[in-house]
């Protein structure tokens, strides 16, 4: 759990180079089997606006065609979805430069993928990829139940951009963990997403254990020094 939490923090709050694009992936929720893929669209994100401290609408709610893409053969159309994108800068100094606000409006003409119940309970995954390729971040909307082929979400998901890429390293160093930025990148970055998760968790556990042992030793030394008797050298 601590590894998963740290990995989410890394991808959400240490990307200072910006996001390249956002993919809206529509899924059909199933309680007794893996969720079904309905369709997706990838929208390029522009350069971060230069004007500070201002909410800037990049697009209003525009309609995009959902396609099955690489997950299935061909590029079959699978309905449409409305998406709006805006950039909110943040007053400096701050650990965040600002944030992309991705608004999911409504979808239309979604296909039925659950042929057993002949129903559609859709939700959206909002997946962002970084410009440098080291970060990937995913958020999820609510699930619209009740056979919604034309659901409306009206939800805005926030994707931040950091001011500096060393935030996680600074926090871990402050806690006594001797780990470099390169080691953090190797442990949590997208290049190791295909590596066995148990291997990454084992490496993370070793780092945490070493750090906690170091903190404990420092605290023990400090407590022993505080408890040492003080000699009274004052003259009688």
């Amino acid at each position: 759990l601590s590894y998963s939490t740290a990995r989410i923090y890394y991808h959400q709050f240490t990307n200072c180079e910006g996001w390249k694009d956002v993919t809206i992936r529509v899924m059909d929720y199933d309680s007794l089997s893996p969720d079904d893929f309905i369709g997706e669209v990838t929208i390029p994100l522009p350069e971060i606006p230069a004007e500070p401290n201002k909410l800037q609408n990049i697009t209003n709610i525009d309609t995009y065609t959902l396609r099955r893409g690489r997950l299935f053969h061909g590029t079959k159309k699978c309905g449409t979805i409305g998406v709006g994108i805006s950039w909110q800068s943040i007053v400096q100094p701050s650990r965040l430069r600002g944030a992309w606000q991705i608004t999911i409006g409504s979808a239309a003409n979604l296909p039925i993928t659950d042929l057993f119940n002949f129903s559609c309970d859709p939700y959206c995954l909002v997946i962002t990829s970084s410009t440098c390729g080291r970060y990937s971040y995913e958020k999820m909307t609510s699930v619209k139940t009740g056979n919604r082929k034309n659901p409306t979400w009206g939800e805005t998901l926030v994707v931040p951009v950091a001011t500096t890429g060393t935030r996680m390293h600074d926090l871990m160093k402050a806690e006594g963990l001797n780990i470099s930025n390169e080691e953090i990148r190797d442990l949590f970055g997208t290049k190791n997403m295909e590596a066995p998760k148990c291997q990454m968790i084992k490496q993370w556990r070793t780092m945490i254990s070493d750090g906690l042992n170091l903190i404990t030793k420092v605290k023990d030394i400090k407590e022993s020094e505080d408890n040492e008797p003080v000699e009274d050298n004052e003259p009688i």
Side-chain angles (χ1 to χ4, degrees), residues 17-108:
E17 300 186 28
W19 301 98
K20 177 181 64 175
D21 54 42
V22 56
T23 297
I24 312 300
R25 182 173 297 166
V26 183
M27 305 291 292
D28 179 16
Y29 173 76
D30 290 321
S31 59
L32 300 179
S33 61
D35 296 347
D36 298 313
F37 172 72
I38 294 178
E40 67 181 14
V41 59
T42 297
I43 307 169
L45 291 175
E47 294 290 332
I48 294 175
E51 189 172 353
N53 309 330
K54 185 178 180 181
L55 176 64
Q56 300 187 13
N57 288 323
I58 307 302
T59 67
N60 294 317
I61 301 294
D62 290 339
T63 300
Y64 298 88
T65 299
L66 295 169
R67 300 182 184 274
R68 290 186 183 271
R70 294 173 301 172
L71 299 185
F72 287 80
H73 294 294
T75 56
K76 182 180 178 181
K77 296 180 181 180
C78 304
T80 60
I81 189 166
V83 181
I85 300 174
S86 62
W87 168 259
Q88 174 66 71
S89 59
I90 295 177
V91 177
Q92 301 298 316
S94 170
R95 61 190 180 91
L96 297 179
R97 290 171 60 187
W100 290 107
Q101 299 182 354
I102 314 297
T103 299
I104 308 298
S106 59

Side-chain angles (χ1 to χ4, degrees), residues 5 73 75 77 83 91 96 141 144-145 199 201 231 236:
T5 302
H73 294 294
T75 56
K77 296 180 181 180
V83 181
V91 177
L96 297 179
T141 66
K144 297 300 180 180
T145 59
Q199 176 183 340
I201 292 176
E231 295 183 2
I236 301 176

Side-chain angles (χ1 to χ4, degrees), residues 130-180:
S130 68
T131 304
C132 62
R134 292 196 300 266
Y135 302 92
S136 178
Y137 184 54
E138 181 178 303
K139 281 193 169 184
M140 174 182 167
T141 66
S142 60
V143 178
K144 297 300 180 180
T145 59
N147 197 15
R148 304 285 188 89
K149 295 181 64 176
N150 303 288
T152 297
W153 285 278
E155 300 178 21
T156 299
L157 306 180
V158 177
V159 182
V161 177
T163 304
T164 174
T166 63
R167 172 70 178 174
M168 191 168 188
H169 170 260
D170 296 340
L171 290 173
M172 297 177 74
K173 186 176 180 180
E175 293 297 325
L177 298 176
N178 186 21
I179 180 172
S180 66

